[in-house]
Structure formats: structure tokens, C-alpha cells
Amino acid sequence: MSVPELDVVGIGFGPSNLALAIAVSEHNGAGGAPVTTRFLERQASFGWHRGMLLDDATMQVSFLKDLVTLRNPTSEFSFLRYLHTRGRLIDFINHKNLFPLRAEFHDYFMWAAEQVADQATYDAEVLSVTAVEDGRGEISAVDVVSRQGGRIATHRARNIVIGTGLRPRLPEGVTASEHIWHTSDLLHNLPRVRGTAPRRFVVVGAGQSAAEAVATLHTAFPEAEVCAVFSRYGYSPADDSSFANRIFDPQAVDEFYNAPENVKRQLMDYHGNTNYSVVDIDLIDDLYRRAYQEKVLGRERLRMINMSRMVQVTDTPGGAVASVQSLVTGEVTTIEADVVVCATGYHQADPYAVLGDVADLCGRDEQGRPRVERDYRAATDPRLRVGVYLQGGTEHTHGITSALLSNTAIRVGEIVDSVVTRRSAPTPAHVPVGV
């Protein structure tokens, strides 16, 4: 049985590939040659960091950096259009705030996903990606095999867009359990301890998620002690100043891509504090206010264990025991807790991992990272005529916006343009794979 070829199969349907589906929809609606797609998502419905959709958590990017506006300011998929349909546009304007609640932005994503649902298949686990050779020995398509429930489906694609997102990272040797959590599961796990009168929580980490977890647990459990463990002297504020924010501009991607390797490293070192291991200043001030108030009142539940690191955590029948070492003295202290929460960030899994044997035809640099062209297409062996596009895993080539919302609208527009342009040019040049 022949399988019809699609222009694009997207693996994963988070915000990045959702934005791509919208860009395709708008391209097709503009009268151009249609781009055919299918996006495969292993979740049963659209979801984005549901475990951290705290009631008072706000976005760290402007609402104007939504799924479409920087690419198409007149789009009907914009956050402002969403607000209008929800009857909150005037209320939002009166709020005088560029940064919506994270829960509200998630609802915006869901609203947008519903409008392009015809392009997505949920509850679909990708099982394999297999090369389809033509008569000349070239790989002109791939078969993406997925499982939805008990049904196996095959989608043949001329291009693949990998948008599988980030994976929660726990400290080395640590396994999640009933008493050891990653912040990505915070809201999912909180019902386990509600009503159990917990005595103590330990939160490990110095970034935004760590500070939000500390604030949430401190509020939700007014009788419990909350110990914040981090290696810094104090939480560091995020640099969201106007000039520093230019690192997220679309033009900055061109500049970063063309910069020498040593300059790329310098830029990441200089401006990592716009995104990594930093906290909104308002939240820092709120936590300090709480700690100071408790000091005045003589009941200190919020403990900042700074200049320290967790060297071991042991699961016990009734909780967990964290071993915390002072970076100053080297002394190790054990802290018994009902729960240890690891706000230890995320890692980018190898985006080629989903490709099976096809990954051998995709280029890597001398450090084993994907070699990627400016249009987010992986450099491949000339035999591989299939486009492999990466949404994420390109920070080393395209800069800090690789997996962030800031440049998503522009990035997906460039990917659609690349797919359409290369489709009309049957013999595109390929960069050698290298080693």
C-alpha cells in the first residue's frame, strides 16, 4: 500500500511546533502552494509545563512575543486576538502589564492549538524513523511510524521538524520518587502532601523555578519549614534591561550564527544571566520580605542555606534525607524533610536520537553537537535529501533563543520559507556531514 508523502512531519507539538503549524496554516491560506503537515504529540492533549502553572506565576517574556506577532502582526492567532475572544482585552489593557500570567498564556496556547487541531495527532508515540530510498540510492523521504493506543500509523515525509522540547534534569544519581520531586511535577505532586501536615521541605536550586517553588510551598503549608539550598550567596536577578534584551532580537540570531566560536562562547557567558539561574527581582524582593518578617516575629520558617550544595539525597519510608555541604567550610549537614524538590533545570536531549539510523547521515561538529544551517536545517550527507529541521538543540549555532519563546514566531517562518524554497529547488546544496 502506497503512503502519501507529506511536506512536513513534526515530532512533538509544544509551543514551537504549534507556532509552525500556525505558520503553515497562514501560508496555505495566503494562496501559495499548500504545505502538507502532520504533527505527532505523545501527550493526550496540548500541554506546556503544566506542573509549574502556578496561580501567580507570570511569563518572563512580553505578550508580544507570542506565537505569531513578530512574524505577522495582523495574525488572527495573536495573544491579543485570544484576549478579544475571551472578552478580556480591555481588562488586560487596563492592567498595564506586558507579562501575562503563565496560566493565561497556557490557555492562549490551548486556544491556538484547537484552531490547528486538524494538523495534530495526540497520544501518538513515535516508534521509528526509516529511510525511503529512491531508484538512485538517495533518501528522498522517511517513514515516521507512530503508535496511538493500539493502532500503528505510518506517515511519509519529505521533511521532519524535531520539536521534542527539554527534559527535566535531576542531580546525578538521583531518581524521582514519592518524596523526591523535580519542579516540573510540583503541581502534580502537591496533592500527595496536602492534609498530611508536612514539617519540612528542601528546595535545591537558584533559578526562577526554585524561587517559585519556595514561595509556593511557604504559602501553601504555613506550618512547614522551607529550606532553600543554593550555591550562590543569594538569588541573582534576571537581567531584563533594554539593551541586554537585544540578545533575543531576530537580528541577533544572524549575528550569533556568523560569529567566530570564541565570540559565541563570550556572548553566552556575558548574557546567560538573561535566562539561566536567575530570578525576577520582584520575586526576590518578596522572598526577602518574608524572611525578614519572620525574623522580626521570631518564627523563621523560611531558611536560606546559601553557599551550599546538596551532595546526596536518600529516599526514606516517610520522606527524604538531604546531605548539604557548605562550600565555605566543607562541613556536611543532614536535613530530614518530607519532600526534597530539585529545581535543577532541564537538558536538551540529542535531537537526532529520534531518527534511528537516519541520524548517521546528519552532521555533527567536533563536540558531537548537531551541525545546523542558518535555516535550522541539519547539515546532512548528500544522499539524505530529506530536510531535518531542529526546533531546539541549536543554542551553539543560533544563540540563546534556540529553545525560547522569544524568537519562535520568526524561527518557524524561516523554516516554512526554507521548506517551500527547497521544495521548488530539487537539488539543494548540502553541507558535508563531517565528524
Side-chain angles (χ1 to χ4, degrees):
M1 183 179 66
S2 63
V3 179
E5 284 191 357
L6 298 168
D7 289 306
V8 172
V9 167
I11 301 177
F13 199 58
S16 291
N17 271 351
L18 168 58
L20 179 63
I22 293 170
V24 167
S25 177
E26 293 186 334
H27 166 84
N28 293 349
V35 174
T36 55
T37 64
R38 175 56 46 187
F39 293 90
L40 304 172
E41 170 56 49
R42 64 180 178 178
Q43 295 186 99
S45 60
F46 184 89
W48 176 69
H49 295 302
R50 287 182 178 272
M52 284 297 289
L53 293 179
L54 307 171
D55 288 348
D56 56 353
T58 58
M59 298 294 295
Q60 276 78 60
V61 297
S62 165
F63 72 88
L64 293 171
K65 294 183 176 182
D66 58 16
L67 298 169
V68 294
T69 296
L70 295 186
R71 175 181 57 80
N72 177 13
T74 64
S75 173
E76 297 212 345
F77 292 87
S78 70
F79 180 71
L80 291 180
R81 175 70 174 178
Y82 155 80
L83 287 173
H84 177 71
T85 63
R86 292 290 195 256
R88 292 199 306 269
L89 179 57
I90 299 300
D91 294 327
F92 184 84
I93 293 171
N94 289 340
H95 193 36
K96 299 180 182 179
N97 196 326
L98 291 173
F99 307 102
L101 289 170
R102 196 179 299 155
E104 183 175 35
F105 224 64
H106 186 271
D107 190 57
Y108 158 62
F109 288 156
M110 292 177 63
W111 168 84
E114 289 171 1
Q115 298 183 70
V116 291
D118 60 318
Q119 298 186 52
T121 300
Y122 292 100
D123 199 21
E125 177 188 7
V126 173
L127 301 177
S128 65
V129 177
T130 307
V132 178
E133 292 190 12
D134 60 19
R136 297 171 294 178
E138 294 181 337
I139 300 169
S140 56
V142 292
D143 281 341
V144 181
V145 179
S146 62
R147 177 172 54 210
Q148 185 185 36
R151 185 174 64 88
I152 302 297
T154 299
H155 296 89
R156 183 161 294 179
R158 289 183 284 270
N159 298 277
I160 291 180
V161 181
I162 302 173
T164 48
L166 302 174
R167 298 288 181 265
R169 178 175 55 212
L170 288 166
E172 187 175 354
V174 175
T175 302
S177 70
E178 182 181 354
H179 306 292
I180 301 172
W181 308 346
H182 188 273
T183 44
S184 60
D185 289 319
L186 183 65
L187 288 183
H188 304 317
N189 289 340
L190 277 182
R192 295 182 184 177
V193 292
R194 292 193 189 278
T196 64
R199 296 181 303 106
R200 183 180 294 118
F201 296 91
V202 172
V203 179
V204 180
Q208 182 72 21
S209 293
E212 289 178 356
V214 168
T216 296
L217 294 169
H218 187 260
T219 300
F221 301 95
E223 300 301 318
E225 184 178 82
V226 180
C227 302
V229 177
F230 48 86
S231 58
R232 302 186 179 201
Y233 205 87
Y235 292 116
S236 297
D239 184 358
D240 61 353
S241 58
S242 301
F243 287 116
N245 269 345
R246 287 181 172 175
I247 195 69
F248 301 107
D249 289 355
Q251 179 184 342
V253 178
D254 288 319
E255 294 166 343
F256 189 94
Y257 187 85
N258 293 313
E261 284 301 315
N262 65 311
V263 174
K264 290 178 179 177
R265 288 193 296 270
Q266 288 176 0
L267 288 172
M268 293 301 296
D269 290 342
Y270 290 152
H271 296 291
N273 65 344
T274 59
N275 185 64
Y276 298 115
S277 296
V278 289
V279 182
D280 284 347
I281 188 63
D282 290 344
L283 181 53
I284 294 175
D285 290 342
D286 175 58
L287 290 174
Y288 190 88
R289 177 194 60 78
R290 298 188 197 199
Y292 184 76
Q293 181 184 52
E294 290 182 352
K295 200 167 191 177
V296 170
L297 298 177
R299 181 171 180 258
E300 298 181 48
R301 291 193 302 116
L302 182 54
R303 294 177 55 199
M304 298 294 173
I305 305 176
N306 61 356
M307 296 181 291
S308 301
R309 64 189 180 103
M310 184 177 73
V311 293
Q312 186 178 1
V313 59
T314 305
D315 207 358
T316 66
V321 177
S323 298
V324 177
Q325 182 180 44
S326 167
L327 299 179
V328 177
T329 67
E331 180 182 359
V332 176
T333 303
T334 59
I335 304 174
E336 295 182 359
D338 296 85
V339 173
V340 172
V341 181
C342 298
T344 43
Y346 297 80
H347 68 92
Q348 176 69 60
D350 181 2
Y352 292 161
V354 73
L355 297 178
D357 292 342
V358 175
D360 296 337
L361 300 175
C362 296
R364 297 182 185 272
D365 64 15
E366 56 278 1
Q367 298 183 47
R369 303 170 301 187
R371 296 188 63 206
V372 189
E373 300 176 46
R374 175 59 187 84
D375 58 2
Y376 300 94
R377 178 168 166 148
T380 63
D381 186 288
R383 288 175 296 158
L384 182 60
R385 301 287 298 280
V386 175
V388 177
Y389 292 87
L390 306 184
Q391 296 233 58
T394 61
E395 191 175 82
H396 60 291
T397 54
H398 290 69
I400 202 167
T401 61
S402 168
L404 302 181
L405 290 174
S406 297
N407 201 46
T408 296
I410 299 294
R411 179 173 65 249
V412 299
E414 292 174 348
I415 291 174
V416 171
D417 288 345
S418 176
V419 168
V420 171
T421 300
R422 290 175 182 264
R423 183 175 60 181
S424 62
T427 55
H430 289 266
V431 179
V433 169
V435 295

